[in-house]
Amino acid sequence: MKESKRQKKYLIKTYGCQMNEHDSEKISWILERMNYIETENIEEADFIIYNTCLVRENAEFRVYGNLGSLKQLKREKPDLMIAVCGCMMQREEVRKVILSKHRHVDIIFGTHNIHKLPQLINNHMKTGETIVDILEDGREIIEDINSNRKYSYKAFVNIMYGCNNFCTYCIVPYTRGRENSREPENIIKEIEELAKNGCKEVTLLGQNVNSYGKNLQRNYSFTDLLKDINKIDGIERIRFMTSHPKDLSDDLINCYATLDKLCPHLHLPVQSGSNKVLKEMNRNYTKEDYLKIIGKLKEAVPEIAITTDIIIGFPGETDEDFNETLDLVKEVKFDSAFTFLYSIREGTKAAKMENQIDEKLKHIRFERLTDTLNEIALGINQKLLGKTLEVLVEEISKNNAEVLTGRTRTNKLVHFKGGKELIGSLVNIKIENVKTFTLEGSII
Ligand code: 5AD
Ligand code: SF4
C-alpha cells in the first residue's frame, strides 16, 4: 500500500537545441502536475523520457545508443516506463526502427503533441501497450501548457514554431512543420508573468524569428514585438534565436540602436562564405548581403557581438569555397561560432547531391576554421581587458564553489569570485584576464 503512494520520479534527457530544452521544461511541468517529481539518478527513475534531435547524425546515433542501454534497466525494473519524443519521432522510418529494435519503449510522441502526454501515459498504463501518437503538423498552437523553468531569472519564451525555409541540408522543416506565430498578447502575458516572478532576461525562441507575425491576422512584426517587450517592467535583457540573414530588416537593426533592453548580441548563421555553396544551400542571400548587414549593425552598435553557425563540407565544397568561408570569418570577426561537419539527413535535398565531401577532408577544414575562429575570439576578448561589464549572475562554477559564472550583455561567459546570494542579480565586473571562451574579473 505504502509503495503505491510513493511519488513517482521522472528523468528527462534532452538532446539538441534550445527549442528542445524548452519543450523539456514543458514536459516537466506536465509531469509535475501529474504528481511526478524529478530525479537526476537514472536508477531511481520510474519514468525516463528522451527528447530527441535529428539535426545531425551524431545526435541521432547517441539516442539509439542510450536507448539500447536502457534495455537492461527495463529487464531489472519491468515497471519502468520509457518514452521517446521530439524531432526524431516525426520521421516514420525512425519510429519503425524504435518499434522493431527498441521494444522496451512504451510511449512515442512528437513535437506537436506534448500536451497529450497525460492521456498517452494513461493509455499505456491501462493497456500495457506501446502507444504511438504523432501529429504531422502543428497548425493549432496550444497555449495552456506552462513550463517548469530551470532558472527563475532567465527564461526561454517561444514566439513561433516551425520553419518555411527548406535550406537543402536541414531536416527541421520536416520535423517542426510550417511557420506559425503565437499571438502577441499571449507572449506579452507570459513575459509579464515571468517578470513578476523575478525574471530579468528573456530569450525569444523561433527557428526564424524575423518571420514572426507573417501568418497573424493583423499587421504585427517581430520588431513590434521587441518594442512591446522592451516596455515590460522588470525585464532587463532581451535576446532572441535564431534569425535568418535573408529576412533581417533595417527596422531590426534600428532596434539595436533604440531599445535599451535588447542585448547587443546577434546570432546570425552564415553557414558558408561561398556564394555558390549558399545558393546550393538555398539560403537566399550572398556573402555580400551578409557583410552589408554586419556593416550596418556595427555602425548602429559598435560594441555588438556577432556569433554564427558554419557548416563545413557541404556537398561540392571546394578548397576555394572553403577559403571564401575563412575570408568571411576574418572579415566579420565573429565573437564565436558553432561549427558543424555537414551531416547527410535523409529526406533533404542535399542528401541526394552527388559530390559529397570526404570525411577526412571535412576534418582538416574544420580544424583550420576553428583555429582561425579561436584566434579572432581571443583578439576580441583581449580588447575587453580593464573594461567594466554588466553581468547577470547565473550559477556557481562547476569547477570551483567560490567562483560564480554569468553572462555579459554581449553573451560572453565571465568567471568571478562571489557568494551564491548574488545568483540572479546584475553586477558590474572589471575584466582582469581573458581566454578564448571566457573572461575573468572581479566585482566592483
Ligand atoms: N549538417 C550539419 N549541420 C547542420 N545544421 C543543420 N543541418 C545540418 C546538417 N545536415 C546546422 C546549421 C544550423 C544549426 C542549428 O545546425 O548550421 O544553423
Ligand atoms: Fe533549418 Fe534553414 Fe529553417 Fe534554420 S532556416 S531551421 S537551417 S531550414
Side-chain angles (χ1 to χ4, degrees):
M1 236 7 231
K2 241 184 184 170
E3 181 62 13
S4 68
K5 278 191 184 148
R6 182 178 71 86
Q7 263 189 300
K8 289 194 171 167
K9 295 185 176 165
Y10 71 93
L11 178 146
I12 308 179
K13 189 165 171 53
T14 310
Y15 302 79
C17 66
Q18 286 92 346
M19 196 66 87
N20 263 19
E21 256 179 66
H22 188 37
D23 282 350
S24 291
E25 291 178 336
K26 294 179 186 173
I27 294 171
S28 167
W29 181 81
I30 292 174
L31 291 174
E32 299 205 354
R33 286 186 73 212
M34 293 179 79
N35 209 23
Y36 280 82
I37 50 172
E38 188 167 19
T39 176
E40 285 178 8
N41 179 356
I42 201 159
E43 305 284 333
E44 63 171 37
D46 302 285
F47 186 18
I48 297 173
I49 304 114
Y50 283 177
N51 188 4
T52 65
C53 168
L54 193 60
V55 88
R56 282 172 298 275
E57 197 174 44
N58 49 5
E60 194 180 348
F61 286 167
R62 269 195 296 142
V63 169
Y64 286 130
N66 290 345
L67 262 186
S69 55
L70 287 186
K71 220 174 253 179
Q72 181 60 25
L73 200 60
K74 178 93 172 185
R75 235 176 257 138
E76 288 161 17
K77 250 173 94 173
D79 286 343
L80 171 68
M81 198 161 59
I82 299 172
V84 263
C85 64
C87 289
M88 275 173 75
M89 298 310 114
Q90 292 298 128
R91 304 295 283 175
E92 199 187 346
E93 61 276 17
V94 173
R95 299 197 294 270
K96 277 189 185 150
V97 173
I98 305 259
L99 289 172
S100 61
K101 296 206 178 122
H102 297 275
R103 301 177 112 156
H104 52 300
V105 169
D106 301 299
I107 301 172
I108 293 175
F109 61 105
T111 53
H112 303 300
N113 56 352
I114 290 172
H115 60 286
K116 283 181 74 182
L117 184 56
Q119 192 185 326
L120 307 183
I121 294 174
N122 287 337
N123 285 355
H124 171 71
M125 284 185 161
K126 249 194 253 154
T127 63
E129 283 172 12
T130 308
I131 307 293
V132 183
D133 197 284
I134 301 293
L135 251 178
E136 287 304 331
D137 204 347
R139 286 290 70 180
E140 189 195 353
I141 294 180
I142 309 292
E143 282 294 346
D144 54 6
I145 319 181
N146 218 321
S147 303
N148 192 9
R149 288 186 162 93
K150 206 168 155 193
Y151 306 97
S152 60
Y153 50 87
K154 64 169 188 176
F156 291 132
V157 176
N158 288 120
I159 61 164
M160 61 185 299
Y161 301 91
C163 180
N164 290 354
N165 287 325
F166 290 95
C167 301
T168 54
Y169 51 81
C170 186
I171 198 73
V172 169
Y174 306 90
T175 63
R176 291 271 172 187
R178 296 293 70 72
E179 282 174 8
N180 203 357
S181 300
R182 283 178 75 193
E183 289 293 336
E185 290 74 18
N186 293 330
I187 300 170
I188 302 287
K189 204 168 86 195
E190 180 175 349
I191 298 178
E192 281 173 347
E193 198 60 36
L194 283 166
K196 257 191 241 152
N197 290 315
C199 179
K200 295 198 170 75
E201 179 180 298
V202 284
T203 302
L204 312 177
L205 291 184
Q207 252 80 36
N208 179 15
V209 293
N210 312 122
S211 295
Y212 173 80
K214 283 190 183 158
N215 70 316
L216 293 175
Q217 299 295 331
R218 75 192 106 160
N219 204 352
Y220 188 91
S221 69
F222 180 54
T223 52
D224 292 327
L225 182 66
L226 287 177
K227 286 168 199 163
D228 282 341
I229 297 171
N230 199 64
K231 291 182 207 144
I232 299 176
D233 281 343
I235 296 297
E236 309 271 357
R237 292 173 163 202
I238 306 168
R239 304 185 186 280
F240 57 85
M241 309 201 82
T242 296
S243 358
H244 194 304
K246 81 176 163 62
D247 300 313
L248 202 126
S249 64
D250 285 349
D251 199 18
L252 178 57
I253 295 173
N254 197 34
C255 283
Y256 277 103
T258 53
L259 301 181
D260 58 327
K261 297 178 181 176
L262 185 59
C263 287
H265 166 225
L266 176 64
H267 185 71
L268 192 64
V270 68
Q271 313 297 1
S272 169
S274 152
N275 285 340
K276 184 198 89 191
V277 174
L278 287 172
K279 192 155 197 281
E280 294 279 302
M281 287 177 164
N282 189 33
R283 291 290 288 176
N284 284 306
Y285 56 85
T286 61
K287 166 178 78 180
E288 291 75 20
D289 296 333
Y290 190 90
L291 288 170
K292 205 162 149 195
I293 295 170
I294 301 299
K296 284 188 197 172
L297 280 162
K298 288 191 175 171
E299 198 177 310
V301 189
E303 80 274 20
I304 196 163
I306 312 281
T307 59
T308 198
D309 292 345
I310 299 174
I311 298 178
I312 290 301
F314 183 81
E317 183 190 69
T318 61
D319 282 344
E320 208 172 70
D321 295 321
F322 173 67
N323 283 332
E324 287 194 65
T325 300
L326 278 184
D327 287 345
L328 179 109
V329 161
K330 289 178 199 155
E331 189 159 351
V332 175
K333 295 199 181 65
F334 291 108
D335 288 75
S336 71
F338 294 114
T339 47
F340 305 105
L341 296 174
Y342 169 71
S343 164
I344 295 181
R345 303 288 64 207
E346 290 308 333
T348 63
K349 259 192 172 170
K352 292 195 210 80
M353 292 180 182
E354 274 170 8
N355 33 14
Q356 300 288 334
I357 305 295
D358 173 64
E359 284 302 311
K360 246 203 212 141
L361 183 57
K362 279 189 206 168
H363 278 95
I364 294 170
R365 288 181 183 163
F366 188 87
E367 298 268 307
R368 279 189 65 198
L369 177 65
T370 40
D371 284 351
T372 307
L373 283 163
N374 291 351
E375 204 183 304
I376 293 169
L378 185 61
I380 294 175
N381 287 350
Q382 274 162 347
K383 289 197 186 126
L384 299 173
L385 269 172
K387 293 226 159 99
T388 298
L389 303 174
E390 181 202 274
V391 169
L392 175 61
V393 186
E394 299 203 341
E395 53 204 349
I396 297 170
S397 158
K398 284 175 189 83
N399 306 323
N400 183 345
E402 285 173 21
V403 174
L404 297 171
T405 68
R407 286 194 182 262
T408 63
R409 289 171 65 78
T410 50
N411 209 33
K412 291 184 188 281
L413 196 63
V414 188
H415 293 291
F416 50 96
K417 281 206 167 139
K420 66 176 192 296
E421 68 286 354
L422 291 173
I423 291 176
S425 62
L426 291 164
V427 293
N428 285 320
I429 302 287
K430 182 159 186 209
I431 305 303
E432 290 155 345
N433 191 18
V434 302
K435 297 183 177 163
T436 309
F437 304 111
T438 49
L439 311 175
E440 291 168 4
S442 306
I443 298 179
I444 58 160

